[in-house]
Amino acid sequence: MDTDLDDAAPAQPSRVRLHVIGPDAACLSPADLRRLFRVRPLTPARRARILAGGRVYAACGARVVGLAAYERSDDALRVHEFVTDAAAPCPADEIATALFDALEMACLAGGGRRLVL
């Protein structure tokens, strides 16, 4: 079978937008956090840990649909929270892929050699 790449359908751009925020930035709204952490609610200690480190959140339209919280440790970027919205308007695999790509880029940009999930 011969495939002509000119006839192939172009890849659709992702509807997921990413936002990287540091510990000095405001966190997501309480409503967004409750929705994202519906299955396993945030304890005060987990919420404090999220606020103390770096965060990447994903949005689909105006809705926050994913969050990854991390901290740098020596040559590693350690992800301690990774959550996606089960009822998101964007596909879950698209959200997760976007967050993983952003974490990998943050790791490399910071001189890290390992991404620990």
Side-chain angles (χ1 to χ4, degrees), residues 17-22 25 54-58 70 72 102-103 105-106:
R17 290 183 342 273
L18 296 170
H19 304 271
V20 180
I21 50 179
R55 301 176 297 277
V56 177
Y57 74 88
Y70 61 89
R72 295 190 187 283
L103 289 167
M105 190 177 306

Side-chain angles (χ1 to χ4, degrees), residues 19-29 33 47-57 67 69-70:
H19 304 271
V20 180
I21 50 179
D24 56 337
C27 194
L28 302 176
S29 73
L33 289 172
R47 183 184 302 264
R49 189 169 180 195
I50 289 171
L51 292 173
R55 301 176 297 277
V56 177
Y57 74 88
L67 172 72
Y70 61 89

Side-chain angles (χ1 to χ4, degrees), residues 57-84:
Y57 74 88
C60 186
R63 182 180 175 127
V64 174
V65 295
L67 172 72
Y70 61 89
E71 53 197 27
R72 295 190 187 283
S73 173
D74 298 323
D75 68 340
L77 188 81
R78 298 185 179 276
V79 180
H80 53 83
E81 297 288 345
F82 189 97
V83 64
T84 61

Side-chain angles (χ1 to χ4, degrees), residues 97-115:
T97 298
L99 286 171
F100 283 132
D101 287 347
L103 289 167
E104 181 180 23
M105 190 177 306
C107 180
L108 293 172
R113 298 180 57 186
R114 294 182 302 140
L115 178 59

Side-chain angles (χ1 to χ4, degrees), residues 3-10:
T3 303
D4 185 0
L5 294 178
D6 291 333
D7 294 336

